[in-house]
Amino acid sequence: MKTTNINAVFFLSGPVKLVNKEVETNDKKQFMNNARFQFLYHPAFHTGLPTLTAATFPVHDPASGAELGLVADCGVPEARAAVRAAYEAFCSWRGVSAKERSSLLRKWYDLMIQNKDDLAKIITAESGKPLKEAQGEILYSANFLEWFSEEARRVYGDIISTPAKERRALVLKQPVGVAAVITPWNFPSAMITRKVGAALAAGCTVVVKPAEDTPFSALALAELANQAGIPPGVYNVIPCSQKKAKEVGEALCTDPLVSKISFTGSTATGKVLLHHAANSVKRVSMELGGHAPFIVFDSANVDQAVAGAMASKFRNSGQTCVCSNRFLVQSGIHDSFVKKFAEAIKTNLHVGNGFDERTTQGPLINAKAVEKVEKHVSDAISKGATVVTGGKRHHVGKNFFEPTLLSNVTRDMLCSQEETFGPVAPVIKFNTEEEAVAIANTANVGLAGYFYSQDPAQIWRVAERLEVGMVGVNEGLISSVECPFGGVKQSGLGREGSKYGIDEYLELKLKPRALIIRMQL
Protein backbone atom coordinates (compact mmCIF):
# COMPACT_ATOMS: atom_id res chain seq x y z
CA MET A 1 0.00 0.00 0.00
CA LYS A 2 1.19 3.49 -0.86
CA THR A 3 0.80 6.37 1.59
CA THR A 4 0.43 10.06 0.96
CA ASN A 5 1.07 12.77 3.53
CA ILE A 6 -1.77 15.27 3.37
CA ASN A 7 -1.35 18.63 5.05
CA ALA A 8 -4.74 20.12 5.87
CA VAL A 9 -4.91 23.74 6.88
CA PHE A 10 -7.40 26.12 8.43
CA PHE A 11 -7.14 29.86 7.87
CA LEU A 12 -9.32 32.19 9.90
CA SER A 13 -8.17 35.20 11.83
CA GLY A 14 -5.46 33.40 13.75
CA PRO A 15 -2.76 30.75 13.60
CA VAL A 16 -3.00 28.05 11.00
CA LYS A 17 -3.90 24.63 12.32
CA LEU A 18 -1.88 21.98 10.54
CA VAL A 19 -2.96 18.37 10.60
CA ASN A 20 -0.62 15.78 9.10
CA LYS A 21 -2.59 12.76 8.05
CA GLU A 22 -1.22 9.52 6.63
CA VAL A 23 -3.71 8.20 4.09
CA GLU A 24 -3.49 4.75 2.55
CA THR A 25 -4.07 4.47 -1.18
CA ASN A 26 -3.92 1.62 -3.65
CA ASP A 27 -2.27 3.56 -6.43
CA LYS A 28 0.20 6.41 -6.33
CA LYS A 29 -1.99 8.19 -8.88
CA GLN A 30 -5.13 7.63 -6.88
CA PHE A 31 -4.82 10.34 -4.30
CA MET A 32 -2.78 13.48 -4.66
CA ASN A 33 0.12 12.14 -6.65
CA ASN A 34 2.14 12.51 -3.44
CA ALA A 35 1.72 16.27 -3.73
CA ARG A 36 2.62 18.53 -0.85
CA PHE A 37 0.88 21.83 -1.22
CA GLN A 38 3.68 24.00 0.13
CA PHE A 39 1.88 27.18 -0.84
CA LEU A 40 -0.68 26.44 1.87
CA TYR A 41 1.78 26.94 4.71
CA HIS A 42 1.52 30.28 6.46
CA PRO A 43 1.95 31.19 10.13
CA ALA A 44 -1.12 33.40 10.42
CA PHE A 45 -4.11 34.66 8.49
CA HIS A 46 -6.37 37.64 9.13
CA THR A 47 -7.15 39.34 12.40
CA GLY A 48 -10.28 39.40 14.49
CA LEU A 49 -10.65 36.00 16.10
CA PRO A 50 -8.91 35.62 19.45
CA THR A 51 -8.53 31.85 19.17
CA LEU A 52 -9.27 28.99 16.81
CA THR A 53 -12.16 26.71 17.57
CA ALA A 54 -11.05 23.43 19.09
CA ALA A 55 -13.70 21.44 17.19
CA THR A 56 -12.81 19.81 13.88
CA PHE A 57 -14.51 17.71 11.24
CA PRO A 58 -13.04 15.31 8.67
CA VAL A 59 -13.02 15.81 4.90
CA HIS A 60 -13.11 12.67 2.80
CA ASP A 61 -12.08 11.68 -0.70
CA PRO A 62 -15.37 10.68 -2.39
CA ALA A 63 -13.52 8.23 -4.66
CA SER A 64 -11.91 6.10 -1.96
CA GLY A 65 -13.57 7.25 1.25
CA ALA A 66 -10.14 8.03 2.72
CA GLU A 67 -9.86 10.91 5.15
CA LEU A 68 -8.03 13.86 3.60
CA GLY A 69 -7.64 15.78 6.84
CA LEU A 70 -9.39 17.68 9.60
CA VAL A 71 -10.77 21.18 9.26
CA ALA A 72 -11.83 23.53 12.04
CA ASP A 73 -15.56 23.21 12.68
CA CYS A 74 -16.73 26.81 13.07
CA GLY A 75 -19.96 27.65 14.83
CA VAL A 76 -22.03 30.75 15.44
CA PRO A 77 -19.41 32.51 17.63
CA GLU A 78 -16.76 32.12 14.93
CA ALA A 79 -19.20 33.28 12.25
CA ARG A 80 -20.06 36.40 14.25
CA ALA A 81 -16.39 37.14 14.89
CA ALA A 82 -15.55 36.71 11.20
CA VAL A 83 -18.33 39.14 10.29
CA ARG A 84 -16.96 41.69 12.76
CA ALA A 85 -13.48 41.29 11.27
CA ALA A 86 -14.93 41.78 7.78
CA TYR A 87 -16.88 44.85 8.88
CA GLU A 88 -13.82 46.45 10.45
CA ALA A 89 -11.84 45.75 7.28
CA PHE A 90 -14.65 47.18 5.13
CA CYS A 91 -14.31 50.56 6.83
CA SER A 92 -10.87 50.93 5.22
CA TRP A 93 -11.21 48.67 2.14
CA ARG A 94 -14.07 50.74 0.76
CA GLY A 95 -11.69 53.71 0.62
CA VAL A 96 -8.98 51.87 -1.30
CA SER A 97 -8.79 53.23 -4.85
CA ALA A 98 -10.29 51.22 -7.68
CA LYS A 99 -6.87 51.05 -9.27
CA GLU A 100 -5.31 49.49 -6.17
CA ARG A 101 -8.15 47.00 -5.74
CA SER A 102 -7.70 46.12 -9.40
CA SER A 103 -3.98 45.56 -8.91
CA LEU A 104 -4.49 43.29 -5.88
CA LEU A 105 -7.09 41.16 -7.66
CA ARG A 106 -4.71 40.83 -10.60
CA LYS A 107 -1.95 39.63 -8.27
CA TRP A 108 -4.35 37.08 -6.82
CA TYR A 109 -5.13 35.90 -10.36
CA ASP A 110 -1.43 35.62 -11.17
CA LEU A 111 -0.85 33.47 -8.09
CA MET A 112 -3.72 31.17 -9.03
CA ILE A 113 -2.17 30.65 -12.46
CA GLN A 114 1.26 30.00 -10.92
CA ASN A 115 -0.27 27.38 -8.58
CA LYS A 116 -2.87 26.02 -10.98
CA ASP A 117 -1.68 22.41 -10.91
CA ASP A 118 -1.74 22.14 -7.13
CA LEU A 119 -5.09 23.91 -6.91
CA ALA A 120 -6.54 21.44 -9.41
CA LYS A 121 -5.25 18.50 -7.36
CA ILE A 122 -7.00 19.86 -4.30
CA ILE A 123 -10.30 19.98 -6.24
CA THR A 124 -9.89 16.42 -7.49
CA ALA A 125 -8.97 15.17 -4.03
CA GLU A 126 -11.96 16.68 -2.23
CA SER A 127 -14.64 16.56 -4.94
CA GLY A 128 -13.57 13.58 -7.06
CA LYS A 129 -13.72 15.61 -10.26
CA PRO A 130 -11.43 14.29 -13.03
CA LEU A 131 -8.12 16.14 -12.93
CA LYS A 132 -8.51 17.51 -16.45
CA GLU A 133 -11.87 19.04 -15.48
CA ALA A 134 -10.36 20.37 -12.25
CA GLN A 135 -7.61 22.06 -14.23
CA GLY A 136 -10.28 23.64 -16.41
CA GLU A 137 -12.15 24.85 -13.34
CA ILE A 138 -9.03 26.54 -11.95
CA LEU A 139 -8.54 28.48 -15.18
CA TYR A 140 -12.24 29.39 -15.19
CA SER A 141 -12.00 30.38 -11.53
CA ALA A 142 -8.89 32.50 -12.00
CA ASN A 143 -10.47 34.25 -14.99
CA PHE A 144 -13.15 35.71 -12.71
CA LEU A 145 -10.44 37.42 -10.67
CA GLU A 146 -8.85 38.73 -13.85
CA TRP A 147 -12.22 39.91 -15.20
CA PHE A 148 -13.26 41.72 -12.04
CA SER A 149 -9.81 43.20 -11.60
CA GLU A 150 -10.60 45.00 -14.85
CA GLU A 151 -14.23 45.76 -13.97
CA ALA A 152 -13.13 47.40 -10.70
CA ARG A 153 -12.00 50.44 -12.69
CA ARG A 154 -15.23 50.62 -14.70
CA VAL A 155 -17.69 51.38 -11.90
CA TYR A 156 -19.18 54.56 -13.30
CA GLY A 157 -21.82 56.88 -11.91
CA ASP A 158 -24.07 59.18 -13.90
CA ILE A 159 -25.11 62.81 -14.28
CA ILE A 160 -28.81 63.52 -14.86
CA SER A 161 -30.44 66.72 -16.06
CA THR A 162 -33.20 67.90 -13.74
CA PRO A 163 -36.17 70.24 -14.33
CA ALA A 164 -34.21 73.03 -12.65
CA LYS A 165 -31.91 74.63 -15.24
CA GLU A 166 -29.09 75.32 -12.80
CA ARG A 167 -29.04 71.90 -11.13
CA ARG A 168 -27.85 68.45 -12.02
CA ALA A 169 -28.29 65.13 -10.19
CA LEU A 170 -25.20 63.06 -9.53
CA VAL A 171 -25.61 59.27 -9.19
CA LEU A 172 -22.86 57.48 -7.26
CA LYS A 173 -22.20 53.75 -6.99
CA GLN A 174 -20.94 52.60 -3.61
CA PRO A 175 -20.16 49.17 -2.08
CA VAL A 176 -23.01 47.60 -0.11
CA GLY A 177 -20.79 46.43 2.77
CA VAL A 178 -19.99 42.98 4.17
CA ALA A 179 -21.11 40.12 1.92
CA ALA A 180 -21.77 36.62 3.24
CA VAL A 181 -20.91 34.12 0.52
CA ILE A 182 -22.21 30.54 0.78
CA THR A 183 -20.89 28.20 -1.90
CA PRO A 184 -21.46 24.61 -3.12
CA TRP A 185 -19.14 21.63 -3.49
CA ASN A 186 -19.45 20.99 -7.24
CA PHE A 187 -17.33 23.98 -8.26
CA PRO A 188 -15.42 24.65 -5.01
CA SER A 189 -13.11 27.27 -6.51
CA ALA A 190 -15.04 28.96 -9.34
CA MET A 191 -18.19 29.57 -7.30
CA ILE A 192 -16.07 31.49 -4.80
CA THR A 193 -14.14 33.70 -7.22
CA ARG A 194 -17.24 34.48 -9.29
CA LYS A 195 -18.77 36.04 -6.17
CA VAL A 196 -15.72 37.25 -4.27
CA GLY A 197 -14.04 38.79 -7.33
CA ALA A 198 -17.07 41.01 -7.91
CA ALA A 199 -17.45 41.84 -4.22
CA LEU A 200 -13.84 42.88 -3.69
CA ALA A 201 -13.76 44.82 -6.95
CA ALA A 202 -16.80 46.81 -5.77
CA GLY A 203 -15.15 47.57 -2.42
CA CYS A 204 -16.98 45.01 -0.27
CA THR A 205 -15.43 42.54 2.16
CA VAL A 206 -16.55 38.91 2.42
CA VAL A 207 -17.10 36.00 4.76
CA VAL A 208 -17.09 32.73 2.83
CA LYS A 209 -18.78 29.58 4.11
CA PRO A 210 -17.67 26.79 1.77
CA ALA A 211 -19.47 23.46 1.46
CA GLU A 212 -18.47 20.97 4.14
CA ASP A 213 -17.40 18.47 1.45
CA THR A 214 -14.88 20.83 -0.17
CA PRO A 215 -13.39 23.39 2.24
CA PHE A 216 -9.75 23.05 1.15
CA SER A 217 -10.20 24.98 -2.09
CA ALA A 218 -11.59 27.97 -0.17
CA LEU A 219 -8.68 27.81 2.26
CA ALA A 220 -6.13 27.59 -0.54
CA LEU A 221 -7.66 30.67 -2.14
CA ALA A 222 -7.38 32.42 1.21
CA GLU A 223 -3.66 31.78 1.41
CA LEU A 224 -3.11 33.01 -2.13
CA ALA A 225 -5.18 36.11 -1.36
CA ASN A 226 -2.90 36.73 1.58
CA GLN A 227 0.19 36.30 -0.60
CA ALA A 228 -1.32 38.72 -3.11
CA GLY A 229 -1.56 41.41 -0.44
CA ILE A 230 -5.31 41.39 0.12
CA PRO A 231 -5.57 43.14 3.52
CA PRO A 232 -6.50 41.16 6.65
CA GLY A 233 -10.25 40.79 7.15
CA VAL A 234 -11.17 41.40 3.52
CA TYR A 235 -11.46 37.69 2.65
CA ASN A 236 -12.53 35.39 5.52
CA VAL A 237 -13.31 31.66 5.47
CA ILE A 238 -15.43 29.83 8.03
CA PRO A 239 -15.61 26.10 7.28
CA CYS A 240 -18.17 24.11 9.24
CA SER A 241 -19.58 20.60 9.34
CA GLN A 242 -23.00 19.68 8.02
CA LYS A 243 -24.21 19.54 11.61
CA LYS A 244 -23.45 23.25 12.11
CA ALA A 245 -24.25 24.48 8.59
CA LYS A 246 -27.84 25.45 9.35
CA GLU A 247 -27.02 27.57 12.40
CA VAL A 248 -24.01 29.20 10.74
CA GLY A 249 -26.06 30.04 7.66
CA GLU A 250 -28.76 31.59 9.83
CA ALA A 251 -26.15 33.58 11.79
CA LEU A 252 -24.72 35.03 8.58
CA CYS A 253 -28.14 35.92 7.19
CA THR A 254 -29.34 37.61 10.38
CA ASP A 255 -26.18 39.43 11.47
CA PRO A 256 -26.89 43.18 11.30
CA LEU A 257 -23.33 43.86 10.08
CA VAL A 258 -23.93 41.75 6.95
CA SER A 259 -25.43 43.75 4.10
CA LYS A 260 -25.44 41.18 1.30
CA ILE A 261 -26.05 37.44 0.95
CA SER A 262 -24.83 35.50 -2.10
CA PHE A 263 -25.73 31.83 -2.24
CA THR A 264 -25.36 29.01 -4.74
CA GLY A 265 -27.14 25.76 -3.90
CA SER A 266 -30.53 24.10 -3.78
CA THR A 267 -33.81 25.97 -4.15
CA ALA A 268 -35.01 24.60 -0.81
CA THR A 269 -32.01 25.97 1.07
CA GLY A 270 -32.22 29.24 -0.86
CA LYS A 271 -35.78 29.76 0.37
CA VAL A 272 -34.67 29.27 3.98
CA LEU A 273 -31.87 31.81 3.58
CA LEU A 274 -34.23 34.28 1.90
CA HIS A 275 -36.56 33.99 4.87
CA HIS A 276 -33.71 34.76 7.28
CA ALA A 277 -32.45 37.68 5.16
CA ALA A 278 -35.94 39.18 4.85
CA ASN A 279 -36.13 40.20 8.50
CA SER A 280 -33.35 42.76 7.98
CA VAL A 281 -34.10 43.35 4.27
CA LYS A 282 -30.62 42.37 3.06
CA ARG A 283 -29.54 42.43 -0.56
CA VAL A 284 -29.54 38.88 -1.91
CA SER A 285 -28.42 37.07 -5.03
CA MET A 286 -29.19 33.39 -5.44
CA GLU A 287 -28.20 30.82 -8.02
CA LEU A 288 -30.46 27.89 -7.22
CA GLY A 289 -31.54 24.59 -8.71
CA GLY A 290 -32.10 23.81 -12.36
CA HIS A 291 -33.89 21.21 -14.47
CA ALA A 292 -32.46 22.00 -17.88
CA PRO A 293 -34.24 20.78 -21.00
CA PHE A 294 -32.17 19.71 -24.01
CA ILE A 295 -34.38 19.78 -27.12
CA VAL A 296 -33.42 18.17 -30.43
CA PHE A 297 -35.65 19.12 -33.36
CA ASP A 298 -35.98 17.17 -36.59
CA SER A 299 -33.95 19.79 -38.44
CA ALA A 300 -30.94 19.39 -36.12
CA ASN A 301 -27.56 18.01 -37.10
CA VAL A 302 -27.62 14.77 -35.10
CA ASP A 303 -23.87 14.47 -34.68
CA GLN A 304 -23.61 18.02 -33.36
CA ALA A 305 -26.54 17.41 -31.03
CA VAL A 306 -24.92 14.26 -29.63
CA ALA A 307 -21.64 16.09 -29.06
CA GLY A 308 -23.51 18.86 -27.27
CA ALA A 309 -25.45 16.36 -25.19
CA MET A 310 -22.24 14.66 -24.07
CA ALA A 311 -20.71 17.96 -22.99
CA SER A 312 -23.84 19.25 -21.31
CA LYS A 313 -24.88 16.08 -19.50
CA PHE A 314 -21.76 14.31 -18.30
CA ARG A 315 -19.43 17.11 -17.21
CA ASN A 316 -18.54 16.48 -13.55
CA SER A 317 -20.56 13.24 -13.77
CA GLY A 318 -23.76 15.22 -14.24
CA GLN A 319 -23.23 17.23 -11.07
CA THR A 320 -23.60 20.79 -12.36
CA CYS A 321 -26.55 23.13 -12.01
CA VAL A 322 -26.72 23.69 -15.78
CA CYS A 323 -26.50 20.02 -16.75
CA SER A 324 -29.15 18.85 -19.17
CA ASN A 325 -31.67 16.90 -17.14
CA ARG A 326 -34.40 16.17 -19.71
CA PHE A 327 -33.68 15.26 -23.33
CA LEU A 328 -36.66 16.06 -25.54
CA VAL A 329 -36.15 14.56 -29.00
CA GLN A 330 -38.55 14.99 -31.92
CA SER A 331 -40.03 11.79 -33.30
CA GLY A 332 -38.47 12.04 -36.76
CA ILE A 333 -34.93 12.06 -35.41
CA HIS A 334 -35.45 10.22 -32.11
CA ASP A 335 -34.14 6.74 -32.95
CA SER A 336 -31.03 8.04 -34.71
CA PHE A 337 -30.20 10.36 -31.81
CA VAL A 338 -30.64 7.67 -29.15
CA LYS A 339 -28.47 5.22 -31.08
CA LYS A 340 -25.61 7.68 -31.62
CA PHE A 341 -25.89 9.02 -28.07
CA ALA A 342 -25.54 5.49 -26.67
CA GLU A 343 -22.52 4.81 -28.88
CA ALA A 344 -20.85 8.03 -27.74
CA ILE A 345 -21.43 7.18 -24.07
CA LYS A 346 -19.97 3.69 -24.43
CA THR A 347 -16.99 4.89 -26.47
CA ASN A 348 -15.99 8.14 -24.81
CA LEU A 349 -16.84 7.89 -21.13
CA HIS A 350 -14.53 6.13 -18.68
CA VAL A 351 -15.41 5.80 -15.00
CA GLY A 352 -12.62 5.89 -12.44
CA ASN A 353 -10.60 7.83 -9.93
CA GLY A 354 -10.15 11.47 -10.87
CA PHE A 355 -6.35 11.19 -10.79
CA ASP A 356 -6.36 8.48 -13.47
CA GLU A 357 -5.55 10.17 -16.80
CA ARG A 358 -8.12 8.05 -18.63
CA THR A 359 -11.01 9.00 -16.33
CA THR A 360 -13.79 11.21 -17.65
CA GLN A 361 -16.38 10.27 -14.99
CA GLY A 362 -15.40 10.51 -11.35
CA PRO A 363 -17.47 9.59 -8.30
CA LEU A 364 -20.62 11.29 -7.09
CA ILE A 365 -19.95 13.47 -4.08
CA ASN A 366 -21.37 11.10 -1.44
CA ALA A 367 -23.61 8.12 -0.75
CA LYS A 368 -26.75 10.26 -0.61
CA ALA A 369 -26.13 11.49 -4.15
CA VAL A 370 -25.76 7.92 -5.42
CA GLU A 371 -28.98 6.90 -3.69
CA LYS A 372 -30.88 9.69 -5.43
CA VAL A 373 -29.58 8.65 -8.86
CA GLU A 374 -30.44 5.03 -8.12
CA LYS A 375 -33.93 6.06 -7.02
CA HIS A 376 -34.55 8.00 -10.23
CA VAL A 377 -33.40 5.13 -12.43
CA SER A 378 -35.43 2.54 -10.50
CA ASP A 379 -38.54 4.71 -10.64
CA ALA A 380 -38.17 5.19 -14.40
CA ILE A 381 -37.72 1.47 -15.03
CA SER A 382 -40.75 0.63 -12.87
CA LYS A 383 -42.87 2.98 -14.99
CA GLY A 384 -41.80 1.61 -18.37
CA ALA A 385 -38.47 3.27 -19.25
CA THR A 386 -35.83 1.27 -21.11
CA VAL A 387 -32.19 1.24 -20.03
CA VAL A 388 -30.21 1.73 -23.25
CA THR A 389 -26.87 1.69 -21.43
CA GLY A 390 -25.70 1.85 -17.81
CA GLY A 391 -28.36 1.86 -15.13
CA LYS A 392 -26.52 0.71 -12.02
CA ARG A 393 -23.67 1.42 -9.61
CA HIS A 394 -20.20 1.00 -11.02
CA HIS A 395 -17.86 -1.63 -9.64
CA VAL A 396 -15.04 0.91 -9.12
CA GLY A 397 -16.47 2.04 -5.78
CA LYS A 398 -19.56 2.77 -3.73
CA ASN A 399 -19.88 6.40 -4.91
CA PHE A 400 -19.60 5.60 -8.61
CA PHE A 401 -22.55 5.19 -10.99
CA GLU A 402 -22.54 4.09 -14.60
CA PRO A 403 -23.28 6.76 -17.23
CA THR A 404 -26.89 5.94 -18.01
CA LEU A 405 -29.16 6.52 -21.00
CA LEU A 406 -32.89 5.90 -20.65
CA SER A 407 -35.46 5.82 -23.47
CA ASN A 408 -39.27 5.59 -23.44
CA VAL A 409 -39.28 8.11 -20.61
CA THR A 410 -42.57 9.76 -19.67
CA ARG A 411 -43.40 12.97 -17.82
CA ASP A 412 -44.69 11.19 -14.70
CA MET A 413 -41.25 9.76 -13.86
CA LEU A 414 -39.09 11.34 -11.15
CA CYS A 415 -36.25 12.00 -13.59
CA SER A 416 -38.68 14.15 -15.61
CA GLN A 417 -39.86 16.09 -12.58
CA GLU A 418 -36.74 16.55 -10.43
CA GLU A 419 -33.11 17.52 -10.94
CA THR A 420 -31.17 14.24 -10.79
CA PHE A 421 -27.69 15.73 -10.35
CA GLY A 422 -26.01 12.63 -11.67
CA PRO A 423 -24.97 10.80 -14.87
CA VAL A 424 -28.47 9.93 -16.12
CA ALA A 425 -29.83 11.06 -19.49
CA PRO A 426 -33.60 10.42 -19.84
CA VAL A 427 -35.00 10.80 -23.37
CA ILE A 428 -38.61 11.89 -23.96
CA LYS A 429 -40.05 11.69 -27.47
CA PHE A 430 -42.20 14.58 -28.73
CA ASN A 431 -44.01 15.43 -31.98
CA THR A 432 -44.39 19.21 -32.29
CA GLU A 433 -42.47 22.33 -31.34
CA GLU A 434 -45.36 23.52 -29.16
CA GLU A 435 -45.32 20.24 -27.26
CA ALA A 436 -41.57 20.45 -26.62
CA VAL A 437 -41.70 24.03 -25.36
CA ALA A 438 -44.67 23.20 -23.12
CA ILE A 439 -42.84 20.24 -21.57
CA ALA A 440 -39.70 22.31 -21.09
CA ASN A 441 -41.59 25.12 -19.38
CA THR A 442 -43.53 22.94 -16.92
CA ALA A 443 -40.67 23.10 -14.42
CA ASN A 444 -40.91 25.63 -11.59
CA VAL A 445 -37.22 26.41 -12.11
CA GLY A 446 -35.51 27.96 -15.11
CA LEU A 447 -31.75 28.19 -15.00
CA ALA A 448 -30.48 26.88 -18.35
CA GLY A 449 -31.92 25.31 -21.48
CA TYR A 450 -30.51 23.95 -24.74
CA PHE A 451 -31.88 23.14 -28.16
CA TYR A 452 -30.59 22.07 -31.55
CA SER A 453 -32.19 23.22 -34.80
CA GLN A 454 -31.13 24.37 -38.27
CA ASP A 455 -34.33 26.38 -38.81
CA PRO A 456 -33.57 30.12 -38.31
CA ALA A 457 -37.18 31.06 -37.59
CA GLN A 458 -37.54 28.21 -35.11
CA ILE A 459 -34.31 29.23 -33.38
CA TRP A 460 -35.68 32.72 -32.68
CA ARG A 461 -39.07 31.44 -31.58
CA VAL A 462 -37.82 28.78 -29.18
CA ALA A 463 -35.00 30.87 -27.73
CA GLU A 464 -37.52 33.54 -26.73
CA ARG A 465 -40.19 31.14 -25.48
CA LEU A 466 -38.04 28.96 -23.21
CA GLU A 467 -38.48 30.12 -19.62
CA VAL A 468 -34.84 30.02 -18.57
CA GLY A 469 -32.12 32.54 -17.78
CA MET A 470 -29.62 31.11 -20.27
CA VAL A 471 -30.17 29.35 -23.60
CA GLY A 472 -27.63 27.33 -25.54
CA VAL A 473 -28.53 27.28 -29.25
CA ASN A 474 -26.67 24.47 -31.03
CA GLU A 475 -24.27 24.66 -28.08
CA GLY A 476 -23.86 22.40 -25.04
CA LEU A 477 -21.61 24.64 -22.94
CA ILE A 478 -22.76 28.16 -22.15
CA SER A 479 -20.72 29.47 -19.21
CA SER A 480 -18.03 32.11 -19.58
CA VAL A 481 -16.80 34.96 -17.41
CA GLU A 482 -17.96 37.53 -19.96
CA CYS A 483 -21.61 36.40 -19.90
CA PRO A 484 -24.22 36.89 -17.15
CA PHE A 485 -25.04 33.71 -15.23
CA GLY A 486 -28.39 33.22 -13.52
CA GLY A 487 -31.93 31.96 -13.83
CA VAL A 488 -35.63 32.79 -13.63
CA LYS A 489 -38.57 31.36 -11.69
CA GLN A 490 -37.29 29.46 -8.64
CA SER A 491 -33.77 29.20 -10.06
CA GLY A 492 -32.74 32.35 -8.28
CA LEU A 493 -32.28 36.10 -8.19
CA GLY A 494 -29.63 38.30 -9.78
CA ARG A 495 -26.75 37.58 -12.14
CA GLU A 496 -23.10 36.66 -11.66
CA GLY A 497 -20.09 37.20 -13.88
CA SER A 498 -20.05 39.62 -16.84
CA LYS A 499 -20.28 43.39 -16.55
CA TYR A 500 -23.54 42.94 -14.64
CA GLY A 501 -22.08 40.84 -11.83
CA ILE A 502 -20.44 43.72 -9.98
CA ASP A 503 -23.79 45.55 -9.73
CA GLU A 504 -24.95 42.93 -7.21
CA TYR A 505 -22.47 44.45 -4.72
CA LEU A 506 -23.14 48.13 -5.38
CA GLU A 507 -25.72 50.61 -4.10
CA LEU A 508 -26.91 53.68 -6.00
CA LYS A 509 -26.81 57.00 -4.19
CA LEU A 510 -28.47 60.11 -5.58
CA LYS A 511 -26.75 63.42 -4.87
CA PRO A 512 -28.54 66.48 -6.34
CA ARG A 513 -26.34 69.54 -6.52
CA ALA A 514 -26.14 73.01 -7.99
CA LEU A 515 -24.43 73.28 -11.35
CA ILE A 516 -20.92 74.55 -10.67
CA ILE A 517 -19.22 74.16 -14.03
CA ARG A 518 -21.04 75.21 -17.15
CA MET A 519 -19.92 73.17 -20.16
CA GLN A 520 -20.23 74.47 -23.70
CA LEU A 521 -21.24 71.80 -26.20
Side-chain angles (χ1 to χ4, degrees):
M1 300 285 286
K2 302 290 185 181
T3 61
T4 300
N5 191 25
I6 304 306
N7 297 279
V9 295
F10 166 56
F11 302 111
L12 178 62
S13 306
V16 170
K17 182 174 183 178
L18 268 178
V19 178
N20 294 321
K21 190 72 179 177
E22 293 290 330
V23 182
E24 292 187 348
T25 61
N26 293 316
D27 188 323
K28 67 180 180 180
K29 292 181 179 179
Q30 183 177 346
F31 202 53
M32 287 191 179
N33 279 344
N34 298 309
R36 275 177 169 270
F37 305 123
Q38 298 291 343
F39 68 89
L40 290 179
Y41 301 169
H42 197 271
F45 199 87
H46 294 340
T47 57
L49 286 186
T51 59
L52 287 173
T53 175
T56 60
F57 69 95
V59 179
H60 294 95
D61 171 13
S64 66
E67 185 179 298
L68 301 180
L70 300 175
V71 177
D73 193 2
C74 296
V76 172
E78 291 80 19
R80 298 288 191 203
V83 169
R84 287 196 299 273
Y87 182 77
E88 291 171 3
F90 171 68
C91 294
S92 56
W93 180 249
R94 67 183 302 175
V96 173
S97 70
K99 182 177 181 181
E100 186 174 349
R101 292 199 301 268
S102 173
S103 176
L104 290 171
L105 285 169
R106 177 68 197 205
K107 289 177 182 176
W108 195 3
Y109 161 81
D110 290 337
L111 286 168
M112 283 195 70
I113 296 301
Q114 291 171 23
N115 292 281
K116 63 181 185 298
D117 292 335
D118 283 342
L119 291 169
K121 290 172 185 175
I122 293 175
I123 290 177
T124 296
E126 64 183 354
S127 76
K129 184 177 296 188
L131 186 57
K132 186 175 181 180
E133 284 192 21
Q135 291 167 342
E137 179 182 342
I138 291 301
L139 294 178
Y140 181 55
S141 176
N143 284 342
F144 281 111
L145 296 182
E146 179 187 42
W147 174 264
F148 285 114
S149 74
E150 297 163 350
E151 289 299 295
R153 302 180 70 175
R154 302 191 186 110
V155 177
Y156 305 126
D158 206 352
I159 297 176
I160 302 173
S161 296
T162 69
K165 293 176 63 176
E166 299 302 319
R167 299 183 70 83
R168 297 292 183 268
L170 178 65
V171 179
L172 304 177
K173 290 185 178 181
Q174 297 181 319
V176 298
V178 176
V181 172
I182 303 174
T183 57
W185 50 263
N186 58 339
F187 286 90
S189 181
M191 294 303 95
I192 292 175
T193 58
R194 190 163 73 185
K195 301 171 187 293
V196 171
L200 269 58
C204 298
T205 56
V206 298
V207 177
V208 178
K209 192 205 84 62
E212 65 271 11
D213 295 299
T214 56
F216 292 129
S217 290
L219 299 173
L221 287 174
E223 170 58 11
L224 294 182
N226 185 51
Q227 291 183 21
I230 303 293
V234 173
Y235 176 95
N236 304 275
V237 182
I238 50 168
C240 70
S241 62
Q242 185 177 23
K243 182 179 179 180
K244 294 184 179 179
K246 183 177 179 180
E247 62 185 45
V248 169
E250 181 176 354
L252 293 174
C253 289
T254 57
D255 195 304
L257 297 181
V258 172
S259 300
K260 162 77 179 182
I261 304 294
S262 180
F263 170 70
T264 296
S266 71
T267 298
T269 300
K271 290 178 179 179
V272 173
L273 298 180
L274 277 169
H275 175 76
H276 292 319
N279 288 330
S280 51
V281 196
K282 298 189 190 301
R283 285 278 296 274
V284 296
S285 55
M286 303 240 162
E287 190 258 285
L288 307 177
H291 192 33
F294 188 106
I295 307 172
V296 185
F297 291 104
D298 281 344
S299 66
N301 180 307
V302 177
D303 292 333
Q304 289 181 1
V306 168
M310 292 289 289
S312 175
K313 174 71 252 184
F314 293 107
R315 185 165 57 113
N316 198 20
S317 299
Q319 300 174 111
T320 83
C321 53
V322 293
C323 269
S324 297
N325 213 61
R326 300 167 290 161
F327 289 83
L328 313 179
V329 185
Q330 199 159 11
S331 54
I333 206 170
H334 174 274
D335 293 350
S336 174
F337 176 83
V338 170
K339 179 181 178 181
K340 291 188 176 184
F341 197 8
E343 291 171 352
I345 291 171
K346 294 173 184 177
T347 303
N348 299 318
L349 299 184
H350 305 283
V351 178
N353 188 284
F355 285 106
D356 187 331
E357 293 181 4
R358 192 166 177 265
T359 295
T360 63
Q361 302 290 285
L364 299 185
I365 190 64
N366 52 38
K368 187 177 179 180
V370 180
E371 290 168 3
K372 182 178 182 181
V373 172
E374 211 166 34
K375 179 182 178 181
H376 278 205
V377 173
S378 298
D379 172 78
I381 293 172
S382 71
K383 294 175 180 176
T386 300
V387 177
V388 181
T389 186
K392 61 184 183 300
R393 296 185 186 228
H394 198 280
H395 62 81
V396 171
K398 66 178 183 179
N399 286 345
F400 292 84
F401 202 90
E402 295 177 344
T404 299
L405 177 61
L406 302 175
S407 64
N408 298 320
V409 173
T410 54
R411 295 169 61 183
D412 62 327
M413 299 174 183
L414 285 177
C415 60
S416 298
Q417 300 173 354
E418 302 175 359
E419 185 178 29
T420 302
F421 229 63
V424 178
V427 178
I428 301 171
K429 184 187 293 187
F430 71 88
N431 293 312
T432 67
E433 177 185 314
E434 291 72 20
E435 180 187 1
V437 172
I439 294 172
N441 289 341
T442 54
N444 61 6
V445 292
L447 186 58
Y450 310 85
F451 69 92
Y452 278 70
S453 171
Q454 301 290 340
D455 181 340
Q458 184 177 61
I459 287 173
W460 282 108
R461 286 195 307 271
V462 175
E464 293 181 358
R465 290 175 62 196
L466 285 179
E467 296 172 357
V468 295
M470 300 170 285
V471 182
V473 181
N474 295 322
E475 174 63 58
L477 297 174
I478 56 177
S479 301
S480 70
V481 299
E482 297 84 2
C483 297
F485 191 102
V488 299
K489 297 184 178 179
Q490 294 186 36
S491 281
L493 303 166
R495 294 295 184 269
E496 295 184 336
S498 79
K499 69 176 184 179
Y500 305 104
I502 199 168
D503 290 337
E504 300 289 338
Y505 299 89
L506 293 167
E507 296 277 20
L508 295 180
K509 177 183 285 186
L510 177 64
K511 187 179 181 182
R513 62 176 297 167
L515 184 63
I516 297 175
I517 300 175
R518 188 181 301 276
M519 299 181 65
Q520 183 173 353
L521 300 178

